[in-house]
Amino acid sequence: MGGDGGSIPRRDEVVKVKQAPEKKNKDQDMVGKWQHCALSGQALTKPIMSCALGRLYTKEAVINLLLDKSTKSHIKRLSDVVELKLTDNAAYKNEIHADLYIDHYSSPYVCPVIGLEMSGKYRFAFNWTCGCVVSERALIEIPSETCHKCGIEINKEDIIIINGNGEDIKKMTDQMKKRKERLKKEKKKKTDNSETNSNNEEKSLNNNEKLPKNKRPAGDSDKQNKKNKISSDKTESKNKFEDSNSYKKTISQKQ
């Protein structure tokens, strides 16, 4: 019963065995996320930007994305990203060891509060308002209503996890939508208040002009006095000039 010239096929030649999925190299995946731009794949260099979903970019890559109108992205303007304020790691050395070993857990940046390296081994976050980066452990172990680095007030909805997991991404997507709505309302409120104040000021000035001079507010009287003084100074200067010319003319005639 040979398949060919009396040879007997082996089981793995007849039955297709399901291949085991290729395992991801965790170190390579980590380096790709934490040391390379999520848009261009190039090594991250300052200024380093991040979006509301916590991905890392170079500023050049973000600008190129905005210039390319054909690319669809949640980043539509520069206000959709924040420049990160990172703390340099004084002990960092970007070098390859003699045995070609690379320390993937070494990072050029650290947490300014407890000194953890920002390599991907520990979770890091930043405040959307100021861009300051700290470790998540620092936020949990040393809770504060202000930023640990710059002291600005913190809104919990503005905390962005850098390179978060699927659950983090879902949560931050909801936060992004809420933040945009909040900022839109704040901008509208600010514009409305500005227009109201401008209209009230104009209305007040018009009403004051209708009043007798002795009943006008002190501010209006001061403005009018200042105006009168300027007019008086101009008249006096003009008279002095005319007197001077007249004197010169008389002297000339006598000579």
Side-chain angles (χ1 to χ4, degrees), residues 12 88 101 117 150-151 188 211 217-218 224 229-230:
D12 59 352
D88 292 331
Y101 168 73
E117 294 194 38
C150 70
K188 186 177 184 302
L211 296 173
Q224 186 63 38
K229 187 176 184 304
I230 293 172

Side-chain angles (χ1 to χ4, degrees), residues 32-199:
K33 286 182 177 180
W34 290 87
Q35 297 184 21
H36 293 81
C37 173
L39 286 171
S40 66
Q42 300 296 318
L44 287 171
T45 54
K46 287 184 177 181
I48 297 175
M49 320 295 287
S50 187
C51 63
L53 302 181
R55 295 170 186 142
L56 301 177
Y57 315 98
T58 59
K59 190 171 185 177
E60 182 182 359
V62 172
I63 292 174
N64 289 336
L65 172 69
L66 296 177
L67 293 174
D68 184 5
K69 303 297 183 182
S70 63
T71 305
K72 292 184 178 180
S73 172
H74 62 287
I75 302 174
K76 302 184 184 303
R77 55 188 68 86
L78 273 177
S79 59
D80 291 334
V81 293
V82 171
E83 183 175 338
L84 299 182
K85 295 177 183 176
L86 299 155
T87 303
D88 292 331
N89 180 7
Y92 176 72
K93 292 182 180 180
N94 187 16
E95 58 184 18
I96 301 175
H97 299 276
D99 57 356
L100 299 181
Y101 168 73
I102 302 175
D103 186 2
H104 295 295
Y105 293 105
S106 179
S107 169
Y109 312 110
V110 296
C111 171
V113 183
I114 55 180
L116 294 178
E117 294 194 38
M118 186 178 143
S119 61
K121 184 177 181 180
Y122 306 100
R123 284 164 63 90
F124 272 70
F126 71 91
N127 183 7
W128 182 262
T129 306
C130 61
C132 294
V133 179
V134 297
S135 64
E136 188 183 48
R137 184 183 294 182
L139 295 175
I140 296 172
E141 294 182 356
I142 313 174
S144 174
E145 294 182 355
T146 58
C147 175
H148 287 297
K149 188 168 183 177
C150 70
I152 195 173
E153 187 176 352
I154 291 177
N155 184 335
K156 290 184 178 180
E157 291 186 355
D158 289 341
I159 299 298
I160 310 296
I161 301 297
I162 299 175
N163 289 325
N165 55 35
E167 187 177 342
D168 294 325
I169 296 296
K170 184 179 179 181
K171 181 180 178 181
M172 290 188 293
T173 301
D174 293 337
Q175 288 180 350
M176 177 175 63
K177 293 177 181 177
K178 291 179 181 179
R179 187 184 307 108
K180 286 184 177 181
E181 288 296 323
R182 189 187 77 216
L183 293 176
K184 188 176 180 181
K185 289 179 181 178
E186 289 177 356
K187 185 177 181 181
K188 186 177 184 302
K189 185 177 180 181
K190 188 176 180 180
T191 303
D192 291 344
N193 289 340
S194 178
E195 290 177 355
T196 301
N197 292 336
S198 178
N199 291 336

Side-chain angles (χ1 to χ4, degrees), residues 240-255:
K240 286 181 179 179
F241 179 76
E242 289 176 351
D243 291 343
S244 176
N245 286 341
S246 177
Y247 175 76
K248 289 178 180 178
K249 187 175 181 181
T250 302
I251 295 298
S252 176
Q253 288 174 354
K254 286 183 179 181
Q255 290 176 350

Side-chain angles (χ1 to χ4, degrees), residues 184 220-221 237:
K184 188 176 180 181
D220 285 359
S221 178
S237 177

Side-chain angles (χ1 to χ4, degrees), residues 193-209:
N193 289 340
S194 178
E195 290 177 355
T196 301
N197 292 336
S198 178
N199 291 336
N200 289 340
E201 186 177 351
E202 185 177 353
K203 186 177 180 181
S204 176
L205 289 172
N206 292 335
N207 291 335
N208 291 339
E209 288 178 358

